[in-house]
Structure formats: C-alpha cells, structure tokens
Amino acid sequence: MSVTAAQGFRAAGIAAGIKKSGRTDLALVVNDGPRSEAAGVFTRNKVKAAPVLWSQQVLTTGALRAVVLNSGGANACTGPQGFQTAHATAERVAEVLGCGAVEVAACSTGLIGEQLPRETLLSGAEKAAGGLAATPEAGAAVAAAIMTTDTVPKQAQVIDPAGWTVGGTAKGAGMISPSMATMLGVITTDAVVDQPMLDAALREAVRYSFDRLDIDGSMSTNDTVLVLSSGASGVRADPAVFTAALTRVCRDLAEQMQADAEGVTKRITVRVTGAASEDDAVTVARTIARDALVKTAMFGSDPNWGRVAAAAGYADAALDPERLDVTINGVLLCKGAVVAGDRAACDLSGKDVMIEVELGLSGGADGHTAEIRTTDLSHAYVEENSAYSS
Amino acid sequence: MSVTAAQGFRAAGIAAGIKKSGRTDLALVVNDGPRSEAAGVFTRNKVKAAPVLWSQQVLTTGALRAVVLNSGGANACTGPQGFQTAHATAERVAEVLGCGAVEVAACSTGLIGEQLPRETLLSGAEKAAGGLAATPEAGAAVAAAIMTTDTVPKQAQVIDPAGWTVGGTAKGAGMISPSMATMLGVITTDAVVDQPMLDAALREAVRYSFDRLDIDGSMSTNDTVLVLSSGASGVRADPAVFTAALTRVCRDLAEQMQADAEGVTKRITVRVTGAASEDDAVTVARTIARDALVKTAMFGSDPNWGRVAAAAGYADAALDPERLDVTINGVLLCKGAVVAGDRAACDLSGKDVMIEVELGLSGGADGHTAEIRTTDLSHAYVEENSAYSS
C-alpha cells in the first residue's frame, strides 16, 4: 500500500516535535530512480502557502527526487520568512540525499498564519532521511504523519498485471472543495512514463476524483497532489491504462477522505444526469452538495427534496423546471419540479445517501452527467470547526 | 409602522387554518388609492413557486390593488394545481374588493413541494377581506401572519418631512442569499411616484439591502419584495429622496432579518474595501460571508483570520496577496497576507463581529467597497434545519 508500494521508493514518518501532542508530524518520500519524472496539481486559491509556491517552482523541471511533508502548521500567510523555511527544509533534505534543492518538493498542512519552527523542521527532516525504508510500515508512517483532523490514515494502490504499481496516500478532512481539498496527496509509481504523459494523467485523475469531492465549499491555501515515477519496474505503461489506474487510486483516496470528513454522519453522492454540458452537470451537483439546507436535512434523515430542487434552481447552469426530476435513495420524489412520490417511502436511516437529479436536457450516448461526493452538515462539523483553531 | 403606516392602505392578518398550530397564517394588504403604482423584485431561482409566477405575470401592468400572503406552505413545486390555487386566491380577493384578479399579487412561504389547502385559503382570504383596517394593529397582524421560523415580526418605516411615508414588513430567517432571502417583503407608500421611478427605486433599494444579506447561501423559490404606492399624501416625492427612504426601510428590515436569522449567535458584517470593482467587492465579501469555516470560527469566537484570507483567496475576483489586509473587530491581524497583529488582542465575545478586508486595488474617491451581512454557523442552525422539514 501507499507510497512504498511501487519499487524504487523509500519513505519515513516521524515525530519531529512540530505538534505539541508529540504525534508524528513529518514525512519524507524519496524516489531512488532510475527515473524521476514528476507532476503536480495545486490549489487554485490566490492566497498560496509557502510550500505551494516552492513546489510549483521546483516542479517546472518536471522531475523530483523527494517530497518532504509536515502537519502541525500550514506555513501559509507567513511571508518571506515562511518561504525561506520551505526552501531551507528542501535544501536540508537535498544535502542529506546528495541532490539539489530544486529536486525536493515541500507540503504543509495545519493552521494558517503561524510560522513553522524552522530548526525543528530541519532537524526533523534530517532524522527522517536517516530512517528511510522501502517497507509497507514506512509508507504507513507517511500516511500517519500527514494527518490533521483525519481520524484514520488513507492509503491506496493498484497493481497492474503488466508489472507496474501505483500507490499513494492522502490527508484531508475539512476545507475540502473546488479544485481539491485541504488535502495533501503523494502518489508514486514504478511504471515507465514520460513526463508530459504523467502530467496529463494526473490532471485527468484529479479531475474525476479529488475535484469531485466537496465537503464544505472551502478551498485551502495548501492543496497539493504530487505524482512521482521511478520507472523501476522497467515496464512502459500504456497511457490509457496508466491514467485509469492513477484515477482509481485517486478516487479510492477521495472516498476515504469523504468517509473521514469532519463531523460526517452521512456519505452523500449527488449524481446529475441529462445536463446541457458536463460543466453544467458538475455545477448543479456541486451547488446541491454545498447547500447548507440540503446538508442539514440529510443530517436529519429528512428527504426534503424541495431543498434539492431549490438548490438546482439557483445553480448557474441551464435548467428547465418542467424537466427536473429528483430521486433520493431510489425513490422518485419530484417529477417535472412537481411533487411525485411519497416522502415516507424514502429511507435515509443509513449512512449512504444517493441524490439523483435528472435535468432532461441531454440523454443517451450524448448525456452529460457528473457525480459530486459530499457529507452532511452535522453538530459534530460545527463542533470540530468552532471549538479550536484549525 | 409597517404596511399601514402610509395613508391609503388597509390590512389584515388572520388564522386561516393553514398552519396546524392555529397561529395566524394569512395576510391581506389593500391599496385604496387614489393611485395604484406597484413594482416587484423576485427570486432569480429557475425553480419558481406558483405565487411568484402569478405575481410576475400580474405585475407586468405595473399596478396592484392588493397582495394576499400566506405562511404554512410555499406552494412551490406544485405544478398546474398549485398555480390554480394562487390564481383562485387572487380571484377570490378581487371579487370581494371589486377589482380584477390581475390587480392582486400573491406570496407564499413555508415547505416546498406540498399543495396548499385551496378551500382553506379561499375562505381565509374572504375572512381577511372582511376584517381590513388601516390601524397599526392591522399592520402588525400582517407582520405576524407571514412569519415562519422567524421569532419576531419585522416592521419598519420612514416619514419624510415633505409629507409622505414609506412603511413595510418582511419575513425571512433561513435560505437567505444572493438575490434576496427566502423572504417576503411588502412595502407601501403614500408618496406620489410614477411607476418607472417606483420600479427603479425598488431595484436600487433591494440591491443595497436584501441582496447584501447572505445567511446560508441558499436562494429560495419564493423570494418576493413588492412595493405599492397609493399616492394618498398628494405629495410628489423627489426620486433621490424617495429612493433613499425606500432603501432605509429595506435596510432596516434586512438588519432585523439578520438579527433573527436561524440559530444566530453572532451578527457578522463583512466589509471589503479597495476592490478592483464594486462587483468584485461584493463577490469577495459574499464568499467570506458564506464560508462554513469562517462562520464556525465566529461561532467559536475564534479570530481565525487565516480562514478569512483563504476565503478571499478563492473568491472569483481580482486579488493580490501582497496587498491583502484582514482586520477583525478593529484589530489588524494580517497585512499583505502575512500574520500581523496578536489574535489574543481580538475580542469576539460580543454579539457583533466586523470583518474588514482591504484588497488594496483601489482607493480614495475611486475605491470600490461592499458590505455583506451574515451570521455564524451554530449548533442551533444545524438543529433548526435538521430536526424537521421546513
């Protein structure tokens, strides 16, 4: 599993002392090659954390030897001092590994607006570099060290019969929205892939996984997903097969993030069909998934389809009320924007909710559909996000 | 106060029997003239309630004799049967008043997706028409009869020294967002105003009042604000003075709606200055006001400015992080997107919170600013919106 599933990678996750709790808070993933293609997708937030600025810069080369990650602080809104901290950390890792700082990406997660303790980070990075291993335990230690309000580590892998593997880990529990989550993700592969293909595959995979997860509509300053390829399997991957495998790993991680989102009591899938375009399908699904009244109704196990219809109606997308159908957990409740089935027949007592919205503007082979995954809005979400700074 | 403050208006609010609780649920406002100019602003939701469709149609004439309103059911997503109910209610009111149905607007509020009891509504309308009065008590009865989850009635008035009055009432507690609220509002005036001027004044007033209130980002199927002019004062109002008075009444009502919003423990004002345009200022302010993480932080009295900066950063507006300042309750916490002041100095223990965001992209006489009013996201909000259908 995780970042050490593919050949050619070593990893470590340690307690550097950033978190006052003493829990592990620093991770290192190293690509031993022979190849070093890499690609990344970053937050679209205009306020970007220092490690995002650093990693975007180094990734212009399309190659990485290592990624250093920390929890316990986002290193966002920290100015030049924060950028120097990210730079110095990458430099320290590079020194120990014998490569250039430009081959080392950095990721941070935690509270915005506080400086990271630079010396703690530097000595932690050195310690992690001294404890690298290619074992599943080392991969699991990375998954644990990047957790913030996550309650469980998240790992996934796909082994292709052709002889290559894709594995990865991610964290993310709140502030999860358009263009990914407050999420960090590191994915590794030993398939032989050229950099432009790796980049294209990652964009496609993120588009249909992390980008389709929307917990609370908030977009983080730190979102980062990186993919590193060692080529150690010696097997060249078919682009379509590789993209599908990478997408599966990303979707698996996104589903784990959904299940572990802050305060979740319901896992909700909003599926929109018959939209005028795929963008419209995503917009309508996302608008419903973000609607506070829909989310609180789901928390109350209330099949309040009127709130779903209202949210669809204010989405910035083509919609004809006379063709709007709403089905919740298999029960058609609204046909042509008019009350249809019996609310009482709709059972929302379980943990999974499927909201299906048919727009009736396309269909068959030309039908435009999209699914957005979200969660309910519960007392626990409010508690977790109000009781302390995060 | 309220809809009977201006001369030429009579009103009634009664218990028609729509609400099972026996509380008042039907209101009638009648314009006795001599003039009958009217204007309306309606929800931009593509899924519109039957009374919205009806009222938009009758208002194409620019004149109204009466408005009939009910709580206890939105008459939304009710199809042709629901539209016939709205039509029949207007017709019954018109019969009693001796005018045409086309001179009677209708407004409804309550649960989406259930048919209103037509006969109950018709006999209620008749009963209300029989009990019309021009007293303050009659105006207050209208304010009470349109309440849903509101805990207090909302009324406002402005008396102009020139001899005319603007008065009104509104309801709205949740589902309050872009393009007004799940709100109904009826405003009356005895100023002499031509219809195009009345229409322009209402649009301007709504733009700077109800449209700048955003409780939960949800846009209702039923939002309606109507203004009726009797001209009974005989005094022709100056357009600018009239627009200012109407705006004051609307802002007063919007502030009452904010204070009474579902589950509110904090009244939050987000003020954005120095934006590249007024639209940008509104977009940034609205994005911050809608951010679930900002709202939960405020509920927790936590001056978590990092969440404010992050929300500003993902707003669809021009932003340069190096010019982004965040001030909360007078304490500058973030300068140029970098930590500045001391969180501990920022006192959020009171009920009012002012979040100021300077974008530094315009200034002085050419500065673009906007204020959005919102509330925190509390346990009570979750409770009120999950415990029962509304």
Side-chain angles (χ1 to χ4, degrees), chain B residues 173-188:
Chain B
M175 218 189 217
I176 294 192
S177 175
S179 122
M180 308 186 298
T182 289
M183 62 157 296
L184 303 181
V186 180
I187 297 155
T188 59

Side-chain angles (χ1 to χ4, degrees), chain B residues 25-57:
Chain B
D25 50 19
L26 191 137
L28 187 60
V29 179
V30 173
N31 180 359
D32 289 321
R35 301 172 62 115
S36 61
E37 286 86 356
V41 175
F42 300 92
T43 184
R44 291 196 291 264
N45 200 310
K46 289 182 257 329
V47 178
K48 293 184 207 307
V52 169
L53 296 171
W54 170 260
S55 297
Q56 283 187 316
Q57 200 171 304

Side-chain angles (χ1 to χ4, degrees), chain A residues 45-46 77 112 175 218-219 291 293 296 300 302 304 307 310 313-315 317 321 337 339 343 379 383 385-386 389-390, chain B residues 45-46 77 112 175 218-219 291 293 296 300 302 304 307 310 313-315 317 321 337 339 343 379 383 385-386 389-390:
Chain A
N45 200 310
K46 289 183 255 328
C77 296
I112 298 172
M175 219 189 217
S218 300
M219 188 196 294
D291 187 85
L293 292 167
T296 45
D302 174 13
N304 197 327
R307 294 181 179 179
Y314 75 76
V339 51
R343 276 167 207 259
H379 284 302
E383 188 62 25
N385 287 296
S386 64
S389 282
S390 61
Chain B
N45 200 310
K46 289 182 257 329
C77 296
I112 298 171
M175 218 189 217
S218 299
M219 188 198 293
D291 187 86
L293 292 166
T296 45
D302 173 13
N304 197 328
R307 294 182 180 178
Y314 74 77
V339 50
R343 278 168 207 259
H379 284 302
E383 188 62 25
N385 286 294
S386 63
S389 281
S390 62

Side-chain angles (χ1 to χ4, degrees), chain B residues 252-290:
Chain B
D252 189 339
L253 292 171
E255 284 174 31
Q256 293 179 49
M257 286 160 63
Q258 178 193 27
D260 192 30
E262 284 171 354
V264 60
T265 80
K266 304 279 185 192
R267 292 180 297 247
I268 304 166
T269 302
V270 182
R271 176 183 294 161
V272 172
T273 52
S277 68
E278 187 183 337
D279 281 353
D280 270 13
V282 172
T283 297
V284 173
R286 198 182 286 289
T287 304
I288 295 166
R290 293 174 73 164

